[in-house]
Structures are given as C-alpha cells and as structure tokens.
Amino acid sequence: MGSRKVLAGARVVLPTGVVHDGRVIVDGTRIVGAAPDHADVVDVTGHWLVPGFVDIHNHGGGGASFTSGTVEDVLHGIHTHRLHGTTTLVASTVTGDMDFLAQRAGLLSELAEQGDIAGIHFEGPFISPCRKGAHSEELLRDPDPADVRKLIDAARGRARMVTLATELPGGIDSVRLLVEHGVIAAVGHTDATYEQTVQAIDAGATVATHLFNAMPALGHRTPGPIAALLEDERITVELIDDGTHLHPAALQLAFHRAGAGRVAFITDAMDAAGFGDGRYMLGPLEVEVSEGVARLVEGGSIAGSTLTLDRAFKRAVTVDRIPVEDVVAAISANPARLLGMDDRIGSLEPGKDADLVLLDHQFDLKGVMRRGEWVVDPQLG
C-alpha cells in the first residue's frame, strides 16, 4: 500500500463531533484536506476512526521498564504500547537515587530527540513517605529546587512533567522552578491539605497525578487535595480507568466535575502491560502481577497498572458510558494540549500527523497508524 491513502466509510471523531460515513485522507506522514492523485481507497465502513492515543504517564510494557531497561528494552516497551494505539508516549521513571535518575534522563532524552518518546516524566523521588505507593521510602527526598533542577538539566530540555508532594519543604519553590522551565508541575503522591493544594495550584501546578490514588480521601470536613484539584479549571486530572484503581462512581464523579476538557486518561503502566502475570521489578521493588493487577510483594500496595489505552478506551465507552467524543478528548486531545503538541497530534485535522486508531463497532482495536504508516495493519481492502 502506498503512502497516499483515503480511509473511507467510518464514523470519524473530529473536534467538532462525529462524522458518519466520513473519511480521513493521508499523504505521506500527514493528514491532508484533499485526496492526492492515485491515492489508495481503504474501505473502513462499520468502524470508528479516532486520533492516536497520547499517554503522559507510562512506566513500561511488554516486559520492559523505562526506569531500568536498556535502550532496546525501552524501544520494545514503546512498540508494545503502539500496538495498543498509543502513538505518543511520555516515559515515566520511578523513585531512585538522584545520580541514577540523572543517568536515566540522559538515556531517555536521546530517545526523545529521535522522536521515539515525547519526553520524560519524573514520578519521584520528591513525594510524601505517607503516600509513597510503590516507591522505595529510603530513596524519597524533599523537593529541594536544586535537586529538581538537576533532573531538569539531565533531561536536556526533554523533561515534560515532575510529580511532587508540594506540601513538603521546597515544594512550592520547586513548582515555580518547573513552570519557569516549561515543565508541568503535577501534584501527586501527596499528603497535602486542601489549602496547601490550592497554594500549589496558585504557584503554577497544572496536573493531578492519578487523581484519588496516593492522596488523602475526599472528606466532608477535610476535603483534602481531591476537592481542590477537581474544582480548579487550571488543573487537568489524570485518571486510570482499569477497574482496579478507581471505583466506577469515583471515575464518574471526577469526569463530570472536571468535565471532558480537563481529564487525561493514562495507563500508569509497568512492565507487565501487554505481557502477562508474573514477578517484576518496579525500580528497586518487587511486584507480583496476578490476573492483571500489579501489587508490591512486600506490603501489597498497587504498583502501577497493566493497562493499555485501547482497553481504557473500550471500558470508558462500554462500562462507564462516557460519550465517544469525550473519551477521545481525554485520551488524545487533552494530553496533546498539555504537552504543547496539539498543533501536531491529538485530533484528526489537516496538517497534523497521520496518527490514528481504527476500532470496530464493539470498540476493539483493529488498526493503528503512526505518521502515515500502519503499526497494526487492519488488512482491509
């Protein structure tokens, strides 16, 4: 099949809504407005065409870790998620020794420069020991701006996001530092009060790292960070829609309070995503994956997920009953905008990269295109 394609007959999800019997025209690596000469027409009648998925929080997959794997391992993990529709991915690290994290940042920044990943997300070590989740407590530290700056510098302009417990000493100053350097400051793994969270948002924090998880519960007298993060229009909330991290009612509460424009579906995937049950390492900690649920061997805390974004998409539509257009916003457009990449990705519009996902009428993945090339070929006429 040539580089010029017309995908015709699908229900196409555009920023303006769903177009029935629509078509997407691809010339080379881009979506174009008019069909070029000698384009191949691919009949995708009965399917959905949606933008490629954008995952801003992902630790690995296919048996590979972004925190500890070789370059080949990381590329394998990236490819695993591409097979599940994630055409743009931010590689997340977990808590480690500062020198080790700086070294990883160097390796991952090279992959970002090559276009394999969209950048780096540092989740830890600047998080609360009270809400550490699957992070090694002895390696945690307060968010001293000098340490935060060390990781930013090691990433060579490729740091996209840092998760902080902003109530810790240095937290607010670190938020301001991140904003100055164009890096997203994310509130997460935090024991902050409502008032402390408001202070962090006013300082420039714009993302809630996996809302509800690794933070105090919502209380009617002590609303904590959840209420502050949900109510503020400046915050985009990450949600893990795998049926394990969130009760469906909690997901509905967040989605409807924040609105479709302020949700980013993420995987928070670890090595086992797209791979299978067994024993894994998440940083220095051992994880047991059983029936697709990852927990620390010692203590039993949830340790990331085995989620892929195609499963999150299907669950959001079929179980949570969220409109397809709103799921597309949460899984593509909103994270693309957060990354400052919405001029290139996140929606099906002329001039943007030809990143798209083909789903059947049951929302099962049938095809994935990245920059005009099929990663998963739907084998259609």
Side-chain angles (χ1 to χ4, degrees), residues 301-325:
S301 291
I302 294 177
S305 84
T306 62
L307 187 63
T308 51
L309 280 181
D310 57 333
R311 284 172 41 215
F313 193 111
K314 180 170 181 172
R315 180 180 175 86
V317 175
T318 62
V319 177
D320 301 310
R321 302 295 179 184
I322 297 170
V324 175
E325 308 96 292

Side-chain angles (χ1 to χ4, degrees), residues 2-316:
S3 63
R4 300 176 176 186
K5 311 173 186 71
V6 179
L7 308 180
R11 283 171 284 189
V12 181
V13 183
L14 302 176
T16 51
V18 178
V19 176
H20 295 268
D21 195 20
R23 61 184 198 159
V24 173
I25 305 165
V26 175
D27 190 3
T29 64
R30 297 295 179 92
I31 297 170
V32 295
D37 293 337
H38 311 298
D40 292 324
V41 178
V42 183
D43 184 2
V44 289
T45 302
H47 291 74
W48 291 85
L49 266 177
V50 301
F53 307 147
V54 181
D55 194 352
I56 60 171
H57 187 156
N58 187 317
H59 298 279
S65 167
F66 298 152
T67 299
S68 58
T70 65
V71 169
E72 291 73 22
D73 291 337
V74 174
L75 290 171
H76 175 67
I78 294 164
H79 183 68
T80 297
H81 284 282
R82 285 183 187 166
L83 295 175
H84 293 275
T86 299
T87 51
T88 302
L89 180 150
V90 174
S92 302
T93 62
V94 296
T95 293
D97 174 86
M98 286 293 294
D99 289 337
F100 174 76
L101 288 174
Q103 178 190 20
R104 291 305 296 179
L107 180 150
L108 292 171
S109 67
E110 290 183 16
L111 294 177
E113 287 158 12
Q114 293 168 196
D116 296 303
I117 59 174
I120 307 164
H121 164 219
F122 296 101
E123 188 180 23
F126 312 116
I127 62 176
S128 171
C130 303
R131 305 286 174 178
K132 65 182 185 297
H135 291 255
S136 179
E137 185 165 355
E138 60 266 25
L139 294 173
L140 300 182
R141 56 176 60 211
D142 290 339
D144 184 307
D147 287 337
V148 175
R149 179 64 186 267
K150 179 178 180 179
L151 293 187
I152 295 174
D153 289 346
R156 304 201 303 261
R158 301 295 175 168
R160 290 289 194 177
M161 183 162 68
V162 178
T163 293
L164 305 162
T166 53
E167 76 278 8
L168 296 176
I172 297 301
D173 286 340
S174 289
V175 169
R176 295 192 180 108
L177 173 74
L178 291 167
V179 173
E180 286 170 12
H181 286 81
V183 180
I184 296 166
V187 177
H189 286 274
T190 176
D191 205 39
T193 63
Y194 173 88
E195 290 77 15
Q196 288 170 326
T197 308
V198 169
Q199 185 184 9
I201 298 168
D202 287 340
T206 54
V207 167
T209 293
H210 45 54
L211 188 76
F212 296 107
N213 298 114
M215 60 182 64
L218 183 66
H220 62 293
R221 293 194 185 91
T222 53
I226 294 171
L229 295 163
L230 274 178
E231 73 184 8
D232 198 299
E233 294 297 319
R234 294 170 289 184
I235 292 290
T236 298
V237 298
E238 294 182 348
L239 297 175
I240 308 170
D241 194 4
D242 62 352
T244 298
H245 279 78
L246 297 175
H247 188 284
L251 183 131
Q252 290 284 353
L253 171 68
F255 207 99
H256 293 295
R257 177 62 186 91
R262 289 206 293 121
V263 172
F265 282 137
I266 61 163
T267 60
D268 193 16
M270 46 79 72
D271 313 17
F275 200 63
D277 290 354
R279 290 274 178 121
Y280 297 85
M281 297 302 294
L282 188 62
L285 303 177
E286 192 172 15
V287 175
E288 175 78 35
V289 178
S290 178
E291 296 182 359
V293 178
R295 293 187 179 275
L296 290 183
V297 171
E298 187 174 335
S301 291
I302 294 177
S305 84
T306 62
L307 187 63
T308 51
L309 280 181
D310 57 333
R311 284 172 41 215
F313 193 111
K314 180 170 181 172
R315 180 180 175 86

